[in-house]
Amino acid sequence: MTVTIKDIAKKAGVSYATVSRALNNRPEVNEKTRREIQKLAEEMGYKPNALARGLVTKETKTLGLIIPDITNPFFPEVARGVEEAAAQAGYNVFLCNTNWLAAKEETYLEVLEEKRVDGLILASVAKDCDVVKRVIKRGTPLVLVNRVLKDVDAHYVVIDNNKGSFQVVEHLLGLGHRIIGFIGGLAHVEATRERLQGYRLALASAGIPVDEDLIRLGTFKKESGYENTISLMKDCKKKPTAIFAANDVLALGVIQAVQDCGLQVPEDVAVIGFDDIPFAAYAEVSLTTVAQPKYTMGEMAAKILIEEIKEGPSKEKKHVVLQPKLVIRKSSGKKR
Amino acid sequence: MTVTIKDIAKKAGVSYATVSRALNNRPEVNEKTRREIQKLAEEMGYKPNALARGLVTKETKTLGLIIPDITNPFFPEVARGVEEAAAQAGYNVFLCNTNWLAAKEETYLEVLEEKRVDGLILASVAKDCDVVKRVIKRGTPLVLVNRVLKDVDAHYVVIDNNKGSFQVVEHLLGLGHRIIGFIGGLAHVEATRERLQGYRLALASAGIPVDEDLIRLGTFKKESGYENTISLMKDCKKKPTAIFAANDVLALGVIQAVQDCGLQVPEDVAVIGFDDIPFAAYAEVSLTTVAQPKYTMGEMAAKILIEEIKEGPSKEKKHVVLQPKLVIRKSSGKKR
């Protein structure tokens, strides 16, 4: 069904080489012939084969972006930043969604590399970093975004999770809360560890011992925020008066759970999230949260990647740590 | 930097052909040699070239999915349906976001086709369908999703927009509203036309003449919903007591605009959206809206596409029209 150069050559009554030269705008063919062959190719529905062409040019003008959760509005905002920076530099972006599965992340790394994308931007969920290390070793330009991978020497653009989290707990302490729950995501993800670290640090700074029973980890999905909050409110000897959720989607689950326990946000339980997704401001109880510069995160990752593609490997990997900003809305309530 | 079959052959002291056979598990090479060469290839970091392989097998086990707006939670839900159905059949999905730009849609159609994806799923924003027609003519399996394209003979999976929209206006009429505004998206998109048609039809059925001044079209973004509502509330001689927004993201903008005019939802102005995005239920004023089976839409599109890839072109294009469902929450208010 596919029209080949051979088909065009046959119809035009010229050689394969002539058609190839004409279609590639090479000088060895005269202007009139070139135009005629190009017109014929157009009419016949000829489609240059990028696979074949990619073998020659070694460049595909395509970037791969791998994210864990397209349904969490945080990641689409990052993706928009990547896309616009990429478009300005003439690159297209293939977005791949791993749905929090490390196996899927591996597959997409392999598939994108096999498709010879010029570079990769990865928001990883992997526990084991061997695949990423192999990708970097093979020389494929790669930038990590949103979360760093331990022991992997790569460019990255992340936020200062520890600091953002410290600000959240500091704010709650300032409002008079002393029993503060922590609802986190996947335990092995660096962002969870860092956000938990900030929580511990802020409590320690205030001389409040950490009650491990107040800390519940799960996934980064709303359902996990809901379930962990229900169990937290039922099991805990000292009921929390405030809950810090490690992302906004979790926080929506937390609010729903608090309400389903017959309590009110923020009157009975103050709630704070992390990310500042576009819907945080419009929630039933508008969400106090840590704003991440999501678009900038994607934009900077794309720029670093494209620079490496164009200039070759840099001597030292670039590490960008963006600054978090606490946005105070209704869900954290007034001073007690 | 890339390790080739030639490099492996040199290191192993065997021919290019032997290495190639060993790596492709061909019978012409003995077991021991095959294992040794495969081990060596692994150690040297050899990566089979999918570009070259694709030229031979003509199959890439990859689908392309083109959507207009990754930041509108409707589309990520559709994408999840596509991905899961694709994964079950062994396909990976490259997602491309056009940001409502027809030119970007054209580019991605071309790029994905050049990459020889096995099939395409397209939520189009194009005015001119020539590119899509060319893609279909060349025999690339394609399924339209969310919106049909006039004059294009293609498989599609859409919702009955007309009916959903009729239900919205019928509900508002039942609540006693007689002056109902319509805030729509892009005028040339079929979904806008169909939703507007349902609006007109419902009014006509109730014997209420359509006031064209109450109809405002723009884009599908929240900002457009906001601005059109502000102008609607300021300019209209007869102020609307209810507004139907053609999607939920627009509806969030409508609610904000109504509040910024010093009015309340639903007491002063009732608001209804379309889509039932996951955040509609958690909004400050929980949103009455038309639920679309988003996940199913993506899932069915992927299944139809994969069937065509495997079985070849079907005699007649498949047309699936899913049923809308009105979900009544707070934003539409009580009977007046």
Side-chain angles (χ1 to χ4, degrees):
Chain A
M1 198 162 305
T2 314
V3 176
T4 65
I5 291 187
K6 232 171 169 173
D7 299 329
I8 300 168
K10 202 173 164 190
K11 189 132 187 185
V14 299
S15 74
Y16 180 97
T18 304
V19 175
S20 171
R21 281 171 196 142
L23 295 179
N24 288 298
N25 283 312
R26 295 268 292 280
E28 302 92 330
V29 62
N30 78 54
E31 183 59 25
K32 186 169 162 274
T33 312
R34 177 163 67 230
R35 258 193 257 138
E36 280 172 9
I37 290 172
Q38 288 181 349
K39 195 167 160 247
L40 183 63
E42 170 77 30
E43 285 167 8
M44 291 174 70
Y46 171 75
K47 189 91 202 134
N49 187 333
L51 293 183
R53 213 169 52 199
L55 286 175
V56 180
T57 66
K58 304 259 184 202
E59 224 196 14
T60 64
K61 282 291 174 191
T62 322
L63 308 181
L65 169 61
I66 302 177
I67 58 171
D69 191 356
I70 195 182
T71 64
N72 177 341
F74 171 78
F75 293 105
E77 297 284 323
V78 174
R80 288 282 306 123
V82 169
E83 277 170 357
E84 295 212 346
Q88 272 169 27
Y91 289 84
N92 297 303
V93 179
F94 287 161
L95 182 62
C96 301
N97 183 42
T98 63
N99 202 25
W100 299 107
L101 299 171
K104 212 148 185 191
E105 178 175 319
E106 277 194 28
T107 304
Y108 275 123
L109 278 170
E110 305 242 339
V111 171
L112 286 166
E113 217 190 359
E114 286 192 358
K115 288 277 180 198
R116 297 284 189 263
V117 293
D118 296 332
L120 290 161
I121 297 176
L122 169 66
S124 179
V125 295
K127 285 187 193 177
D128 167 6
C129 306
D130 287 356
V131 180
V132 177
K133 282 182 187 167
R134 277 208 297 276
V135 168
I136 295 172
K137 199 177 156 196
R138 277 195 293 268
T140 306
L142 179 140
V143 177
L144 296 174
V145 78
N146 191 44
R147 43 197 60 141
V148 297
L149 290 173
K150 259 192 167 175
D151 312 323
V152 173
D153 182 30
H155 301 299
Y156 63 72
V157 182
V158 295
I159 197 163
D160 189 336
N161 285 304
N162 199 313
K163 188 172 172 181
S165 181
F166 191 95
Q167 289 172 356
V168 167
V169 179
E170 205 179 28
H171 179 64
L172 289 171
L173 290 169
L175 293 174
H177 295 280
R178 290 296 173 268
I179 308 174
I180 302 169
F182 180 89
I183 301 290
L186 295 169
H188 71 273
V189 170
E190 210 57 26
T192 303
R193 277 208 280 263
E194 291 170 3
R195 287 173 201 178
L196 188 51
Q197 211 168 35
Y199 165 87
R200 290 180 189 280
L201 212 63
L203 288 176
S205 304
I208 297 174
V210 174
D211 178 355
E212 297 297 330
D213 204 28
L214 287 168
I215 299 169
R216 307 285 163 115
L217 305 184
T219 73
F220 286 106
K221 295 266 188 184
K222 191 166 69 69
E223 293 71 26
S224 174
Y226 181 87
E227 284 157 23
N228 272 330
T229 303
I230 293 283
S231 85
L232 186 69
M233 298 305 285
K234 281 195 181 153
D235 306 348
C236 269
K237 285 178 192 159
K238 292 183 181 176
K239 305 282 176 231
T241 61
I243 294 175
F244 169 31
N247 79 19
D248 287 354
V249 173
L250 285 170
L252 291 176
V254 171
I255 291 176
Q256 205 186 325
V258 169
Q259 291 171 340
D260 285 358
C261 289
L263 300 169
Q264 288 204 306
V265 177
E267 293 77 2
D268 300 311
V269 182
V271 176
I272 301 189
F274 203 104
D275 287 349
D276 200 23
I277 58 173
F279 301 92
Y282 306 112
E284 189 183 346
V285 188
S286 69
L287 199 63
T288 297
T289 183
V290 177
Q292 292 208 55
K294 299 167 274 293
Y295 181 94
T296 307
M297 189 179 271
E299 189 187 23
M300 294 191 77
K303 284 185 175 169
I304 291 170
L305 183 64
I306 291 164
E307 196 186 316
E308 173 147 329
I309 291 167
K310 289 193 172 163
E311 312 289 334
S314 55
K315 269 186 199 159
E316 286 189 4
K317 303 296 183 184
K318 295 198 173 66
H319 296 168
V320 179
V321 181
L322 298 163
Q323 289 306 302
K325 196 184 154 213
L326 185 68
V327 181
I328 298 169
R329 298 199 185 94
K330 287 185 194 158
S331 68
S332 49
K334 293 179 188 160
K335 200 173 160 75
R336 305 227 169 179
Chain B
M1 200 161 301
T2 314
V3 176
T4 64
I5 291 186
K6 230 171 171 173
D7 299 328
I8 301 168
K10 202 173 164 192
K11 191 133 182 185
V14 298
S15 74
Y16 179 98
T18 304
V19 174
S20 172
R21 282 171 196 143
L23 296 179
N24 287 300
N25 284 312
R26 295 269 291 280
E28 303 91 330
V29 62
N30 77 56
E31 183 58 26
K32 185 168 163 275
T33 312
R34 176 162 70 229
R35 258 194 257 139
E36 279 172 8
I37 289 171
Q38 288 182 348
K39 196 168 159 243
L40 183 64
E42 171 76 33
E43 283 167 9
M44 292 172 71
Y46 171 74
K47 189 90 200 135
N49 188 333
L51 294 183
R53 217 168 48 198
L55 285 174
V56 180
T57 66
K58 303 259 182 202
E59 222 196 19
T60 64
K61 282 288 174 192
T62 322
L63 308 181
L65 169 61
I66 302 177
I67 58 170
D69 191 356
I70 192 181
T71 64
N72 178 341
F74 171 77
F75 293 105
E77 298 284 323
V78 175
R80 290 280 306 122
V82 170
E83 277 170 355
E84 295 212 346
Q88 272 168 27
Y91 289 84
N92 297 302
V93 178
F94 287 162
L95 182 63
C96 300
N97 183 41
T98 62
N99 204 25
W100 299 107
L101 300 171
K104 214 150 184 189
E105 178 175 320
E106 279 194 25
T107 304
Y108 276 124
L109 278 170
E110 305 242 340
V111 171
L112 286 167
E113 217 190 0
E114 287 193 357
K115 289 279 178 194
R116 297 282 190 263
V117 293
D118 297 332
L120 289 161
I121 296 175
L122 169 65
S124 179
V125 297
K127 284 185 195 180
D128 167 6
C129 306
D130 287 356
V131 180
V132 177
K133 282 183 187 165
R134 276 207 297 277
V135 168
I136 295 172
K137 199 177 155 197
R138 277 195 293 268
T140 306
L142 179 140
V143 178
L144 296 174
V145 77
N146 192 44
R147 44 198 60 142
V148 298
L149 290 173
K150 260 191 166 175
D151 311 322
V152 173
D153 181 31
H155 300 299
Y156 62 71
V157 182
V158 297
I159 196 163
D160 188 335
N161 285 305
N162 201 311
K163 187 172 174 182
S165 183
F166 190 95
Q167 289 173 354
V168 167
V169 178
E170 204 180 28
H171 179 64
L172 289 171
L173 291 168
L175 293 174
H177 295 280
R178 289 297 173 269
I179 308 173
I180 301 170
F182 180 90
I183 302 290
L186 296 168
H188 72 273
V189 171
E190 209 56 26
T192 304
R193 277 207 281 262
E194 291 170 2
R195 288 173 200 178
L196 188 50
Q197 211 169 33
Y199 165 88
R200 290 181 190 280
L201 212 63
L203 288 175
S205 303
I208 298 174
V210 175
D211 178 355
E212 297 296 330
D213 205 26
L214 288 169
I215 298 168
R216 307 286 163 115
L217 305 185
T219 72
F220 285 106
K221 295 264 190 187
K222 189 165 71 69
E223 294 69 27
S224 175
Y226 181 87
E227 285 157 22
N228 272 331
T229 304
I230 293 285
S231 86
L232 185 70
M233 298 305 286
K234 281 193 180 152
D235 305 349
C236 269
K237 284 180 191 156
K238 292 185 181 175
K239 306 284 176 228
T241 60
I243 294 175
F244 169 32
N247 78 19
D248 287 352
V249 173
L250 286 170
L252 290 176
V254 171
I255 291 177
Q256 205 185 326
V258 169
Q259 291 171 340
D260 285 359
C261 288
L263 300 170
Q264 289 203 306
V265 177
E267 293 78 1
D268 301 312
V269 181
V271 176
I272 301 189
F274 204 106
D275 286 351
D276 199 24
I277 58 172
F279 302 94
Y282 307 112
E284 189 183 346
V285 188
S286 68
L287 199 62
T288 297
T289 184
V290 177
Q292 293 208 55
K294 300 168 274 291
Y295 182 93
T296 307
M297 189 179 272
E299 190 187 22
M300 294 192 76
K303 284 184 175 170
I304 291 170
L305 184 63
I306 291 165
E307 195 185 317
E308 172 146 331
I309 292 168
K310 290 193 173 163
E311 313 289 334
S314 54
K315 268 185 199 160
E316 285 190 2
K317 303 294 184 184
K318 295 196 173 65
H319 295 166
V320 179
V321 180
L322 298 163
Q323 289 307 301
K325 194 185 155 213
L326 185 67
V327 180
I328 299 169
R329 298 200 185 93
K330 288 185 193 157
S331 68
S332 50
K334 293 178 189 160
K335 200 171 160 76
R336 305 226 167 179

